[in-house]
Amino acid sequence: MILVRRLDDDGFSEINALHTFHRTARSEAEGTKLSLERTSIDMSMVGLDLSFTNATTALLEEEPDILERLKESGRRVIKLKLQLGLYDDPRNNDSTLPLSKDASAFLTGHSAHNIGYQCGGWARAGDYTDEDLAAAKQYASLAEYTVAVIGEEVYEEKTGDIDDLALHLGQIEYVKALASTGTKVIVVLFEGRLRILNDIRECLRRDQRDAFV
């Protein structure tokens, strides 16, 4: 194995470097194939392009069995998160979760329909449309439960540096506005680090009818 002696940008894109630096692969696509078939690597740390994603998608079409290899990486990542306690102590007031199959629910929020935001840092952002608050409140008032999906935007390394740990005020106010309709609010939070939720918890705790995931 050829080791990189200097920790520069290549240290964060070693799969691509199999082609661009080490010259052990004839293309970035072949480098992706080698990394999945011959190594135990679980993540590709390239936040500036979709070379790994595109190559993996193409490889799945050619070799569907590679899906099990991807699932293996997913299992290892989730296992590590469990060991670190990242899923411990979920909030579930009044046994709100799991929802009944017959329950009516309204799904909304900044991160509800954006796979980039849901994947967190080192992901690619997708497009989304700002929710119209009046319409959202109307839908929420008609549903027994409202699932509000909020969280951080996509970032990597220096671009993720922040001076304020508070989540964007607009998202906080959005959840509070939904709660004001009387619906039972379930907050799903996507974040790569601890963020301050201001008075969301206190606002929802007063009615004892919320859950945080």
Side-chain angles (χ1 to χ4, degrees):
M1 178 182 292
I2 301 176
L3 300 178
V4 178
R5 295 182 179 179
R6 292 178 54 205
L7 186 60
D8 51 19
D9 288 344
D10 287 324
F12 298 101
S13 57
E14 278 304 307
I15 295 176
N16 289 347
L18 292 175
H19 167 61
T20 61
F21 184 82
H22 301 304
R23 306 297 183 185
T24 57
R26 289 167 293 185
S27 65
E28 291 182 353
E30 185 176 70
T32 297
K33 179 179 173 69
L34 289 173
S35 71
L36 291 175
E37 293 183 344
R38 301 188 185 183
T39 78
S40 60
I41 193 168
D42 292 325
M43 294 186 296
S44 171
M45 294 182 65
V46 180
L48 301 178
D49 66 66
L50 292 173
S51 57
F52 179 81
T53 302
N54 292 337
T56 301
T57 300
L59 184 60
L60 276 169
E61 295 179 356
E62 298 173 4
E63 302 180 26
D65 290 345
I66 204 70
L67 178 61
E68 185 55 37
R69 167 65 178 83
L70 298 176
K71 289 181 178 180
E72 179 184 347
S73 284
R75 286 191 290 267
R76 282 199 290 261
V77 171
I78 292 174
K79 181 180 179 180
L80 178 59
K81 290 184 176 183
L82 287 170
Q83 292 173 341
L84 293 173
L86 299 183
Y87 297 135
D88 292 351
D89 194 26
R91 183 177 175 186
N92 190 17
N93 286 347
D94 199 26
S95 299
T96 300
L97 299 175
L99 297 180
S100 166
K101 293 182 179 180
D102 299 325
S104 62
F106 170 47
L107 177 64
T108 184
H110 170 267
S111 303
H113 190 55
N114 190 307
I115 194 170
Y117 290 164
Q118 292 174 17
C119 288
W122 296 94
R124 298 290 292 182
D127 296 328
Y128 77 100
T129 303
D130 290 337
E131 301 289 346
D132 179 82
L133 182 57
K137 289 178 67 175
Q138 180 179 4
Y139 284 121
S141 67
L142 298 175
E144 182 179 1
Y145 298 94
T146 292
V147 182
V149 188
I150 61 175
E152 296 187 296
E153 298 180 356
V154 173
Y155 63 87
E156 65 273 338
E157 295 190 8
K158 193 65 178 178
T159 61
D161 289 356
I162 54 177
D163 298 320
D164 186 357
L165 288 177
L167 203 61
H168 294 305
L169 183 61
Q171 295 190 62
I172 304 295
E173 295 302 319
Y174 186 73
V175 173
K176 291 168 62 177
L178 295 173
S180 71
T181 67
T183 185
K184 297 177 182 178
V185 178
I186 299 168
V187 176
V188 178
L189 183 62
F190 285 101
E191 58 182 3
R193 55 200 159 185
L194 294 177
R195 299 296 296 267
I196 298 173
L197 300 179
N198 293 329
D199 54 352
I200 278 187
R201 288 180 179 271
E202 293 303 323
C203 170
L204 300 180
R205 186 180 290 120
R206 284 195 293 268
D207 295 323
Q208 291 292 306
R209 58 187 180 195
D210 64 302
F212 273 87
V213 180

mmCIF file of all heavy atoms in Angstrom, residues 3 12 34 44 47 59 101 123 128 145 182 199 205 208 211:
data_model
loop_
_atom_site.group_PDB
_atom_site.id
_atom_site.type_symbol
_atom_site.label_atom_id
_atom_site.label_comp_id
_atom_site.label_asym_id
_atom_site.label_seq_id
_atom_site.Cartn_x
_atom_site.Cartn_y
_atom_site.Cartn_z
ATOM 1 N N LEU A 3 1.445 4.996 0.978
ATOM 2 C CA LEU A 3 0.933 5.922 1.975
ATOM 3 C C LEU A 3 1.245 7.355 1.578
ATOM 4 O O LEU A 3 2.303 7.652 1.034
ATOM 5 C CB LEU A 3 1.564 5.629 3.347
ATOM 6 C CG LEU A 3 1.301 4.234 3.917
ATOM 7 C CD1 LEU A 3 2.034 4.089 5.251
ATOM 8 C CD2 LEU A 3 -0.186 3.999 4.105
ATOM 9 N N PHE A 12 -8.093 13.798 2.307
ATOM 10 C CA PHE A 12 -9.542 13.779 2.451
ATOM 11 C C PHE A 12 -10.233 13.324 1.177
ATOM 12 O O PHE A 12 -11.424 13.456 1.034
ATOM 13 C CB PHE A 12 -10.045 15.172 2.857
ATOM 14 C CG PHE A 12 -9.504 15.617 4.180
ATOM 15 C CD1 PHE A 12 -8.451 16.508 4.249
ATOM 16 C CD2 PHE A 12 -10.026 15.120 5.355
ATOM 17 C CE1 PHE A 12 -7.944 16.909 5.474
ATOM 18 C CE2 PHE A 12 -9.525 15.513 6.587
ATOM 19 C CZ PHE A 12 -8.477 16.410 6.646
ATOM 20 N N LEU A 34 -12.524 -0.175 -6.695
ATOM 21 C CA LEU A 34 -11.486 -0.798 -5.876
ATOM 22 C C LEU A 34 -11.744 -0.577 -4.384
ATOM 23 O O LEU A 34 -11.572 -1.481 -3.564
ATOM 24 C CB LEU A 34 -10.112 -0.240 -6.255
ATOM 25 C CG LEU A 34 -9.538 -0.653 -7.612
ATOM 26 C CD1 LEU A 34 -8.261 0.124 -7.903
ATOM 27 C CD2 LEU A 34 -9.264 -2.151 -7.637
ATOM 28 N N SER A 44 -16.797 8.383 1.989
ATOM 29 C CA SER A 44 -15.997 9.141 1.033
ATOM 30 C C SER A 44 -16.062 10.606 1.432
ATOM 31 O O SER A 44 -17.123 11.224 1.378
ATOM 32 C CB SER A 44 -16.537 8.962 -0.391
ATOM 33 O OG SER A 44 -15.891 9.848 -1.282
ATOM 34 N N GLY A 47 -16.569 16.694 -0.409
ATOM 35 C CA GLY A 47 -17.769 17.511 -0.371
ATOM 36 C C GLY A 47 -17.950 18.420 -1.568
ATOM 37 O O GLY A 47 -18.904 19.180 -1.633
ATOM 38 N N LEU A 59 -21.923 1.666 -10.653
ATOM 39 C CA LEU A 59 -21.463 0.338 -10.256
ATOM 40 C C LEU A 59 -22.629 -0.531 -9.789
ATOM 41 O O LEU A 59 -22.665 -1.742 -10.059
ATOM 42 C CB LEU A 59 -20.421 0.465 -9.148
ATOM 43 C CG LEU A 59 -19.754 -0.828 -8.665
ATOM 44 C CD1 LEU A 59 -19.022 -1.508 -9.817
ATOM 45 C CD2 LEU A 59 -18.788 -0.529 -7.521
ATOM 46 N N LYS A 101 -51.080 3.308 13.228
ATOM 47 C CA LYS A 101 -51.218 3.232 11.774
ATOM 48 C C LYS A 101 -52.401 4.053 11.278
ATOM 49 O O LYS A 101 -52.438 4.470 10.117
ATOM 50 C CB LYS A 101 -51.382 1.774 11.341
ATOM 51 C CG LYS A 101 -50.144 0.918 11.558
ATOM 52 C CD LYS A 101 -50.372 -0.504 11.066
ATOM 53 C CE LYS A 101 -49.128 -1.349 11.260
ATOM 54 N NZ LYS A 101 -49.325 -2.749 10.794
ATOM 55 N N ALA A 123 -22.104 16.216 2.621
ATOM 56 C CA ALA A 123 -23.122 15.764 1.683
ATOM 57 C C ALA A 123 -23.358 16.871 0.668
ATOM 58 O O ALA A 123 -22.794 17.950 0.751
ATOM 59 C CB ALA A 123 -24.424 15.428 2.421
ATOM 60 N N TYR A 128 -34.968 22.958 -2.195
ATOM 61 C CA TYR A 128 -36.191 22.873 -1.415
ATOM 62 C C TYR A 128 -36.923 24.200 -1.519
ATOM 63 O O TYR A 128 -36.340 25.230 -1.839
ATOM 64 C CB TYR A 128 -35.906 22.526 0.047
ATOM 65 C CG TYR A 128 -35.384 23.687 0.872
ATOM 66 C CD1 TYR A 128 -36.234 24.400 1.698
ATOM 67 C CD2 TYR A 128 -34.048 24.065 0.813
ATOM 68 C CE1 TYR A 128 -35.771 25.464 2.446
ATOM 69 C CE2 TYR A 128 -33.577 25.125 1.557
ATOM 70 C CZ TYR A 128 -34.439 25.817 2.378
ATOM 71 O OH TYR A 128 -33.975 26.867 3.116
ATOM 72 N N TYR A 145 -51.212 14.634 14.372
ATOM 73 C CA TYR A 145 -49.778 14.790 14.625
ATOM 74 C C TYR A 145 -49.140 15.592 13.497
ATOM 75 O O TYR A 145 -49.517 15.454 12.335
ATOM 76 C CB TYR A 145 -49.077 13.428 14.702
ATOM 77 C CG TYR A 145 -49.567 12.543 15.821
ATOM 78 C CD1 TYR A 145 -50.562 11.598 15.588
ATOM 79 C CD2 TYR A 145 -49.039 12.651 17.100
ATOM 80 C CE1 TYR A 145 -51.015 10.778 16.609
ATOM 81 C CE2 TYR A 145 -49.487 11.837 18.127
ATOM 82 C CZ TYR A 145 -50.480 10.900 17.881
ATOM 83 O OH TYR A 145 -50.927 10.095 18.889
ATOM 84 N N GLY A 182 -52.517 23.365 18.002
ATOM 85 C CA GLY A 182 -53.114 22.300 18.800
ATOM 86 C C GLY A 182 -52.728 20.910 18.351
ATOM 87 O O GLY A 182 -53.073 19.926 19.006
ATOM 88 N N ASP A 199 -36.322 28.004 22.999
ATOM 89 C CA ASP A 199 -37.463 27.632 23.846
ATOM 90 C C ASP A 199 -38.406 26.631 23.186
ATOM 91 O O ASP A 199 -39.564 26.521 23.572
ATOM 92 C CB ASP A 199 -38.244 28.880 24.261
ATOM 93 C CG ASP A 199 -38.666 29.728 23.071
ATOM 94 O OD1 ASP A 199 -38.224 29.421 21.949
ATOM 95 O OD2 ASP A 199 -39.433 30.684 23.270
ATOM 96 N N ARG A 205 -43.280 21.391 25.909
ATOM 97 C CA ARG A 205 -43.423 20.673 27.168
ATOM 98 C C ARG A 205 -44.666 21.108 27.935
ATOM 99 O O ARG A 205 -45.250 20.352 28.696
ATOM 100 C CB ARG A 205 -42.181 20.888 28.035
ATOM 101 C CG ARG A 205 -42.190 20.057 29.321
ATOM 102 C CD ARG A 205 -40.950 20.290 30.154
ATOM 103 N NE ARG A 205 -39.785 19.721 29.512
ATOM 104 C CZ ARG A 205 -38.725 20.427 29.150
ATOM 105 N NH1 ARG A 205 -38.701 21.723 29.352
ATOM 106 N NH2 ARG A 205 -37.696 19.845 28.580
ATOM 107 N N GLN A 208 -47.252 18.769 27.134
ATOM 108 C CA GLN A 208 -46.903 17.356 27.315
ATOM 109 C C GLN A 208 -47.407 16.497 26.159
ATOM 110 O O GLN A 208 -48.038 15.466 26.350
ATOM 111 C CB GLN A 208 -47.490 16.847 28.644
ATOM 112 C CG GLN A 208 -46.824 17.438 29.867
ATOM 113 C CD GLN A 208 -45.391 16.967 30.015
ATOM 114 O OE1 GLN A 208 -45.122 15.782 30.024
ATOM 115 N NE2 GLN A 208 -44.468 17.902 30.111
ATOM 116 N N ALA A 211 -42.600 14.935 20.940
ATOM 117 C CA ALA A 211 -41.498 13.974 20.936
ATOM 118 C C ALA A 211 -40.354 14.569 20.142
ATOM 119 O O ALA A 211 -40.560 15.328 19.196
ATOM 120 C CB ALA A 211 -41.940 12.646 20.314
#
